[in-house]
Coordinates of all heavy atoms in Angstrom, one line a residue:
M1 N 128.9 55.1 41.8 CA 127.8 54.9 40.8 C 128.2 55.7 39.6 O 128.4 56.9 39.6 CB 126.5 55.3 41.5 CG 125.5 55.9 40.5 SD 124.1 56.6 41.3 CE 124.8 58.0 42.2
A2 N 128.3 55.0 38.5 CA 128.7 55.7 37.2 C 127.4 56.0 36.4 O 126.5 55.2 36.4 CB 129.6 54.8 36.4
A3 N 127.4 57.2 35.9 CA 126.3 57.6 35.0 C 126.4 57.0 33.6 O 127.6 57.0 33.1 CB 126.2 59.1 35.0
H4 N 125.3 56.6 33.1 CA 125.4 56.2 31.7 C 125.1 57.4 30.8 O 124.3 58.3 31.1 CB 124.5 55.0 31.4 CG 123.0 55.3 31.6 ND1 122.4 55.3 32.8 CD2 122.1 55.5 30.6 CE1 121.1 55.6 32.6 NE2 120.9 55.7 31.3
D5 N 125.8 57.4 29.6 CA 125.6 58.5 28.7 C 124.3 58.3 27.8 O 124.1 57.2 27.4 CB 126.8 58.6 27.7 CG 128.0 59.2 28.4 OD1 127.9 59.9 29.4 OD2 129.1 58.9 27.9
V6 N 123.5 59.4 27.7 CA 122.3 59.3 26.9 C 122.4 60.4 25.8 O 122.4 61.6 26.2 CB 121.1 59.6 27.8 CG1 119.8 59.5 26.9 CG2 121.0 58.5 28.9
P7 N 122.6 60.1 24.6 CA 122.7 61.1 23.5 C 121.4 61.8 23.2 O 120.3 61.2 23.3 CB 123.2 60.3 22.3 CG 122.8 58.9 22.6 CD 122.7 58.7 24.1
I8 N 121.5 63.1 23.0 CA 120.3 63.9 22.5 C 120.6 64.4 21.2 O 121.7 64.6 20.7 CB 120.0 65.0 23.5 CG1 121.2 66.0 23.7 CG2 119.7 64.4 24.9 CD1 120.9 67.2 24.5
G9 N 119.5 64.7 20.4 CA 119.7 65.2 19.0 C 119.9 66.7 18.9 O 120.4 67.1 17.9
D10 N 119.5 67.4 19.9 CA 119.7 68.9 19.8 C 120.8 69.3 20.8 O 121.4 68.5 21.5 CB 118.4 69.6 20.2 CG 117.3 69.3 19.2 OD1 117.6 69.4 18.0 OD2 116.1 69.1 19.6
D11 N 120.9 70.7 20.9 CA 121.9 71.2 21.9 C 121.4 71.1 23.3 O 122.2 71.1 24.2 CB 122.3 72.6 21.5 CG 123.1 72.7 20.2 OD1 123.7 71.7 19.8 OD2 123.0 73.8 19.6
T12 N 120.1 71.1 23.5 CA 119.5 71.1 24.9 C 118.3 70.2 24.9 O 117.8 69.8 23.8 CB 119.1 72.5 25.3 OG1 118.0 73.0 24.5 CG2 120.2 73.5 25.3
I13 N 117.9 69.8 26.1 CA 116.7 69.0 26.3 C 116.2 69.4 27.6 O 116.9 69.7 28.6 CB 117.0 67.5 26.2 CG1 115.8 66.7 26.2 CG2 118.0 67.1 27.3 CD1 116.0 65.2 25.9
R14 N 114.8 69.4 27.8 CA 114.2 69.7 29.0 C 114.4 68.5 30.0 O 114.4 67.3 29.6 CB 112.8 70.0 28.8 CG 112.5 71.4 28.2 CD 111.1 71.8 28.2 NE 110.9 73.1 27.6 CZ 110.8 73.3 26.3 NH1 110.7 72.3 25.5 NH2 110.6 74.6 25.9
L15 N 114.4 68.8 31.3 CA 114.6 67.8 32.3 C 113.6 66.7 32.2 O 113.9 65.5 32.3 CB 114.7 68.5 33.7 CG 114.8 67.6 34.9 CD1 116.0 66.7 34.8 CD2 114.8 68.4 36.2
G16 N 112.3 67.1 32.2 CA 111.2 66.1 32.1 C 111.4 65.2 30.9 O 111.2 64.0 31.1
Q17 N 111.8 65.7 29.8 CA 111.9 64.8 28.6 C 113.1 63.9 28.8 O 113.1 62.7 28.4 CB 112.2 65.7 27.4 CG 111.0 66.5 26.9 CD 111.4 67.5 25.8 OE1 112.4 68.2 25.9 NE2 110.6 67.4 24.7
F18 N 114.2 64.4 29.4 CA 115.4 63.6 29.6 C 115.2 62.5 30.5 O 115.7 61.4 30.3 CB 116.6 64.5 30.0 CG 117.9 63.8 30.1 CD1 118.6 63.4 29.0 CD2 118.4 63.4 31.4 CE1 119.8 62.7 29.0 CE2 119.6 62.7 31.4 CZ 120.3 62.3 30.3
L19 N 114.4 62.7 31.6 CA 114.1 61.6 32.5 C 113.5 60.5 31.8 O 113.8 59.3 32.1 CB 113.2 62.1 33.7 CG 114.0 63.0 34.7 CD1 112.9 63.7 35.6 CD2 114.9 62.2 35.5
K20 N 112.6 60.7 30.9 CA 111.9 59.7 30.1 C 112.9 59.0 29.1 O 113.0 57.8 29.0 CB 110.7 60.2 29.4 CG 109.5 60.6 30.3 CD 108.3 61.0 29.5 CE 108.6 62.3 28.8 NZ 107.4 62.8 28.0
L21 N 113.6 59.9 28.4 CA 114.6 59.4 27.4 C 115.6 58.5 28.0 O 116.0 57.5 27.4 CB 115.2 60.6 26.7 CG 116.3 60.2 25.6 CD1 115.6 59.6 24.4 CD2 117.0 61.5 25.2
S22 N 116.1 58.8 29.1 CA 117.1 58.1 29.8 C 116.6 56.9 30.5 O 117.4 56.1 31.1 CB 117.9 59.0 30.8 OG 117.0 59.4 31.8
S23 N 115.3 56.7 30.6 CA 114.7 55.6 31.3 C 114.8 55.6 32.8 O 114.7 54.6 33.5 CB 115.1 54.2 30.8 OG 114.8 54.1 29.4
L24 N 115.2 56.8 33.3 CA 115.2 57.0 34.8 C 113.8 56.9 35.3 O 113.6 56.5 36.4 CB 115.9 58.3 35.2 CG 117.4 58.4 34.9 CD1 117.9 59.8 35.3 CD2 118.2 57.3 35.6
L25 N 112.9 57.4 34.5 CA 111.4 57.4 34.9 C 110.6 56.9 33.6 O 111.1 57.2 32.5 CB 110.9 58.7 35.4 CG 111.5 59.1 36.8 CD1 111.3 60.6 37.0 CD2 110.7 58.3 37.8
D26 N 109.5 56.4 33.9 CA 108.7 55.8 32.8 C 107.8 56.8 32.0 O 107.6 56.6 30.8 CB 107.8 54.6 33.3 CG 108.7 53.5 33.7 OD1 109.8 53.3 33.2 OD2 108.2 52.7 34.6
S27 N 107.3 57.8 32.7 CA 106.3 58.7 32.1 C 106.5 60.1 32.5 O 107.2 60.4 33.5 CB 104.9 58.2 32.5 OG 104.6 58.6 33.8
G28 N 105.9 61.0 31.8 CA 105.9 62.4 32.1 C 105.3 62.7 33.4 O 105.8 63.6 34.2
A29 N 104.2 62.0 33.8 CA 103.6 62.2 35.1 C 104.5 61.8 36.2 O 104.6 62.5 37.2 CB 102.3 61.4 35.1
D30 N 105.2 60.7 36.0 CA 106.2 60.2 37.0 C 107.3 61.3 37.2 O 107.7 61.6 38.3 CB 106.8 58.9 36.7 CG 105.9 57.7 36.8 OD1 104.8 57.9 37.4 OD2 106.2 56.7 36.2
A31 N 107.8 61.8 36.1 CA 108.8 62.8 36.1 C 108.3 64.1 36.8 O 109.0 64.6 37.7 CB 109.3 63.2 34.7
K32 N 107.1 64.5 36.5 CA 106.6 65.7 37.1 C 106.5 65.6 38.7 O 106.9 66.4 39.4 CB 105.2 66.0 36.6 CG 104.6 67.3 37.1 CD 103.2 67.5 36.4 CE 102.6 68.8 37.0 NZ 101.3 69.1 36.3
S33 N 106.0 64.4 39.1 CA 105.9 64.1 40.5 C 107.3 64.1 41.2 O 107.5 64.7 42.3 CB 105.2 62.8 40.8 OG 103.8 62.9 40.3
A34 N 108.2 63.3 40.6 CA 109.5 63.2 41.2 C 110.2 64.5 41.3 O 110.9 64.8 42.3 CB 110.4 62.2 40.4
I35 N 110.1 65.4 40.3 CA 110.8 66.7 40.3 C 110.1 67.5 41.4 O 110.8 68.2 42.2 CB 110.7 67.3 38.9 CG1 111.5 66.5 37.9 CG2 111.1 68.8 39.0 CD1 111.3 66.9 36.5
A36 N 108.8 67.6 41.4 CA 108.1 68.4 42.4 C 108.4 68.0 43.8 O 108.4 68.8 44.7 CB 106.6 68.3 42.2
D37 N 108.6 66.7 44.0 CA 108.9 66.2 45.4 C 110.4 66.3 45.8 O 110.8 65.9 46.8 CB 108.6 64.7 45.5 CG 107.1 64.5 45.4 OD1 106.3 65.4 45.7 OD2 106.6 63.3 45.2
G38 N 111.2 66.9 44.9 CA 112.6 67.2 45.2 C 113.5 65.9 45.1 O 114.5 65.9 45.8
L39 N 113.1 64.9 44.3 CA 113.8 63.7 44.2 C 114.8 63.6 43.1 O 115.5 62.6 42.9 CB 112.8 62.5 44.1 CG 111.8 62.4 45.2 CD1 110.8 61.3 44.9 CD2 112.4 62.2 46.6
V40 N 114.9 64.7 42.3 CA 115.8 64.7 41.1 C 116.8 65.7 41.3 O 116.5 66.9 41.7 CB 114.9 65.0 39.8 CG1 115.9 65.1 38.6 CG2 113.9 63.9 39.6
T41 N 118.1 65.4 41.0 CA 119.2 66.3 41.1 C 119.8 66.5 39.7 O 119.8 65.5 38.9 CB 120.3 66.0 42.1 OG1 120.9 64.7 41.7 CG2 119.7 65.8 43.5
V42 N 120.3 67.7 39.4 CA 121.1 68.0 38.2 C 122.4 68.5 38.7 O 122.5 69.5 39.4 CB 120.4 69.0 37.4 CG1 121.2 69.4 36.2 CG2 119.0 68.6 36.9
N43 N 123.5 67.8 38.3 CA 124.8 68.1 38.7 C 124.9 68.3 40.2 O 125.6 69.2 40.8 CB 125.3 69.4 38.0 CG 125.3 69.3 36.5 OD1 125.5 68.2 36.0 ND2 125.0 70.4 35.8
G44 N 124.2 67.4 41.0 CA 124.3 67.3 42.4 C 123.4 68.3 43.2 O 123.4 68.3 44.4
E45 N 122.6 69.1 42.5 CA 121.7 70.0 43.1 C 120.3 69.7 42.9 O 119.9 69.4 41.7 CB 122.0 71.5 42.6 CG 123.5 71.8 42.7 CD 123.7 73.1 43.5 OE1 122.8 73.9 43.6 OE2 124.8 73.2 44.0
V46 N 119.4 69.7 43.9 CA 118.0 69.4 43.7 C 117.4 70.4 42.7 O 117.7 71.6 42.7 CB 117.3 69.5 45.0 CG1 115.8 69.4 44.8 CG2 117.7 68.5 46.0
E47 N 116.7 69.9 41.7 CA 116.1 70.7 40.7 C 114.6 70.6 40.7 O 114.1 69.4 40.6 CB 116.6 70.3 39.3 CG 116.1 71.2 38.1 CD 116.3 72.7 38.3 OE1 117.4 73.1 38.3 OE2 115.2 73.4 38.5
L48 N 113.9 71.7 40.9 CA 112.4 71.6 41.0 C 111.7 72.1 39.7 O 110.5 72.1 39.7 CB 111.9 72.5 42.2 CG 112.5 72.1 43.5 CD1 112.1 73.1 44.6 CD2 112.0 70.7 43.9
R49 N 112.4 72.4 38.7 CA 111.9 72.9 37.4 C 111.9 71.8 36.3 O 113.0 71.4 35.9 CB 112.6 74.1 36.9 CG 112.5 75.3 37.8 CD 113.5 76.4 37.4 NE 114.9 75.9 37.5 CZ 115.9 76.5 36.9 NH1 115.7 77.5 36.1 NH2 117.1 76.0 37.1
R50 N 110.7 71.3 36.0 CA 110.6 70.3 34.9 C 111.2 70.8 33.6 O 111.7 70.0 32.8 CB 109.2 69.9 34.8 CG 109.0 68.7 33.9 CD 107.6 68.2 34.0 NE 106.6 69.2 33.9 CZ 105.4 69.1 33.4 NH1 105.0 68.0 32.9 NH2 104.6 70.2 33.3
G51 N 111.1 72.1 33.3 CA 111.5 72.7 32.1 C 113.0 73.1 32.0 O 113.4 73.7 31.1
R52 N 113.7 72.8 33.1 CA 115.1 73.1 33.2 C 115.8 72.6 31.9 O 115.7 71.5 31.5 CB 115.8 72.5 34.4 CG 117.3 72.3 34.4 CD 118.0 73.4 34.9 NE 119.5 73.2 34.8 CZ 120.3 73.0 35.8 NH1 119.8 72.9 37.0 NH2 121.6 72.9 35.6
Q53 N 116.6 73.5 31.2 CA 117.3 73.1 30.0 C 118.6 72.4 30.4 O 119.4 73.0 31.2 CB 117.6 74.4 29.2 CG 116.4 75.0 28.6 CD 115.7 74.2 27.5 OE1 116.4 73.6 26.7 NE2 114.4 74.2 27.5
L54 N 118.8 71.2 29.9 CA 120.0 70.5 30.1 C 120.9 70.6 28.9 O 120.4 70.6 27.8 CB 119.7 69.0 30.4 CG 118.8 68.7 31.6 CD1 118.4 67.2 31.7 CD2 119.3 69.2 32.9
H55 N 122.2 70.5 29.1 CA 123.2 70.6 28.1 C 124.1 69.4 28.2 O 124.3 68.8 29.3 CB 124.0 71.9 28.2 CG 123.2 73.1 28.2 ND1 122.6 73.7 29.3 CD2 122.8 73.9 27.1 CE1 121.9 74.7 28.9 NE2 122.0 74.9 27.6
P56 N 124.8 69.0 27.1 CA 125.8 67.9 27.1 C 126.7 68.1 28.3 O 127.2 69.2 28.5 CB 126.5 68.0 25.8 CG 125.4 68.5 24.9 CD 124.7 69.6 25.7
G57 N 126.9 67.1 29.1 CA 127.8 67.1 30.2 C 127.0 67.2 31.6 O 127.6 66.8 32.6
D58 N 125.8 67.6 31.5 CA 125.0 67.6 32.7 C 124.6 66.2 33.2 O 124.4 65.3 32.3 CB 123.6 68.4 32.5 CG 123.8 69.9 32.4 OD1 124.9 70.4 32.9 OD2 122.9 70.6 31.9
T59 N 124.6 66.0 34.5 CA 124.3 64.7 35.0 C 123.0 64.8 35.8 O 122.9 65.6 36.7 CB 125.4 64.1 35.9 OG1 126.6 64.0 35.1 CG2 125.1 62.8 36.5
V60 N 122.1 63.9 35.5 CA 120.8 63.9 36.2 C 120.7 62.6 37.1 O 121.1 61.5 36.6 CB 119.6 63.9 35.2 CG1 118.3 63.7 35.9 CG2 119.7 65.1 34.4
T61 N 120.3 62.7 38.3 CA 120.2 61.6 39.2 C 118.8 61.5 39.8 O 118.2 62.5 40.2 CB 121.2 61.7 40.4 OG1 122.6 61.8 39.8 CG2 121.2 60.5 41.3
F62 N 118.3 60.3 39.8 CA 117.0 59.9 40.5 C 117.2 58.6 41.2 O 117.6 57.6 40.6 CB 115.9 59.8 39.4 CG 114.6 59.3 40.0 CD1 113.9 60.2 40.9 CD2 114.2 58.0 39.8 CE1 112.7 59.7 41.5 CE2 113.0 57.6 40.4 CZ 112.3 58.4 41.2
G63 N 117.0 58.7 42.5 CA 117.3 57.5 43.3 C 118.8 57.1 43.2 O 119.6 58.0 43.4
D64 N 119.0 55.9 42.9 CA 120.4 55.4 42.9 C 121.0 55.3 41.4 O 121.9 54.6 41.2 CB 120.7 54.1 43.6 CG 119.8 53.0 43.1 OD1 119.0 53.2 42.2 OD2 120.0 51.9 43.6
E65 N 120.2 55.9 40.5 CA 120.7 55.9 39.1 C 120.9 57.3 38.5 O 120.3 58.2 38.9 CB 119.6 55.2 38.2 CG 119.4 53.8 38.6 CD 118.6 53.0 37.5 OE1 118.8 53.4 36.3 OE2 117.8 52.2 37.8
S66 N 122.0 57.4 37.7 CA 122.3 58.6 37.1 C 122.5 58.5 35.6 O 122.8 57.4 35.1 CB 123.7 59.1 37.6 OG 123.5 59.4 39.0
A67 N 122.2 59.5 34.9 CA 122.4 59.6 33.4 C 123.0 60.9 33.1 O 122.7 61.9 33.6 CB 121.1 59.4 32.7
R68 N 124.0 60.9 32.1 CA 124.7 62.1 31.7 C 124.2 62.4 30.2 O 124.2 61.5 29.4 CB 126.2 61.9 31.7 CG 127.0 63.1 31.4 CD 128.5 63.0 31.6 NE 129.0 61.7 31.2 CZ 129.4 60.7 32.0 NH1 129.5 60.9 33.3 NH2 129.9 59.6 31.5
V69 N 123.9 63.7 30.0 CA 123.5 64.2 28.7 C 124.8 64.2 27.8 O 125.8 64.7 28.2 CB 123.0 65.6 28.8 CG1 122.5 66.1 27.4 CG2 121.8 65.7 29.8
S70 N 124.6 63.6 26.6 CA 125.8 63.6 25.7 C 125.2 64.0 24.3 O 124.0 63.9 24.1 CB 126.5 62.2 25.6 OG 125.6 61.3 25.1
R71 N 126.1 64.5 23.5 CA 125.7 64.9 22.1 C 125.4 63.6 21.3 O 126.1 62.7 21.3 CB 126.9 65.6 21.5 CG 126.7 67.1 21.6 CD 127.6 67.9 20.7 NE 128.1 69.1 21.5 CZ 127.3 70.1 21.8 NH1 126.1 70.1 21.5 NH2 127.8 71.1 22.5
G72 N 124.3 63.8 20.5 CA 123.9 62.7 19.7 C 124.6 62.8 18.4 O 125.3 62.4 17.7

């Protein structure tokens, strides 16, 4: 499964925001629930912090879809 690149405007983005931006999830509420339930991984590790700072090169996976943070 190949991750699609999602450009961000700053140097970092919070995990909850990135899940919406990348269209892996539709809303902030969905992101909060998925993260709390341990369904989201960052670089292959389960991440339970919605405010986790992501940097270009980080890969976020939810279900069978992945998105990689890239510079905008």
Side-chain angles (χ1 to χ4, degrees):
M1 148 190 65
H4 64 280
D5 286 336
V6 179
I8 61 172
D10 294 317
D11 291 334
T12 63
I13 187 171
R14 287 188 177 88
L15 177 57
Q17 293 173 308
F18 185 74
L19 286 166
K20 291 184 293 183
L21 178 67
S22 64
S23 298
L24 291 178
L25 288 162
D26 294 330
S27 72
D30 290 346
K32 183 177 180 180
S33 295
I35 293 166
D37 290 344
L39 302 176
V40 176
T41 64
V42 177
N43 300 328
E45 309 237 337
V46 172
E47 181 55 66
L48 300 175
R49 297 169 296 161
R50 189 172 45 151
R52 157 91 184 252
Q53 294 289 321
L54 302 176
H55 302 87
D58 286 340
T59 300
V60 176
T61 303
F62 173 71
D64 60 356
E65 294 198 34
S66 294
R68 184 173 41 247
V69 181
S70 66
R71 265 193 218 290

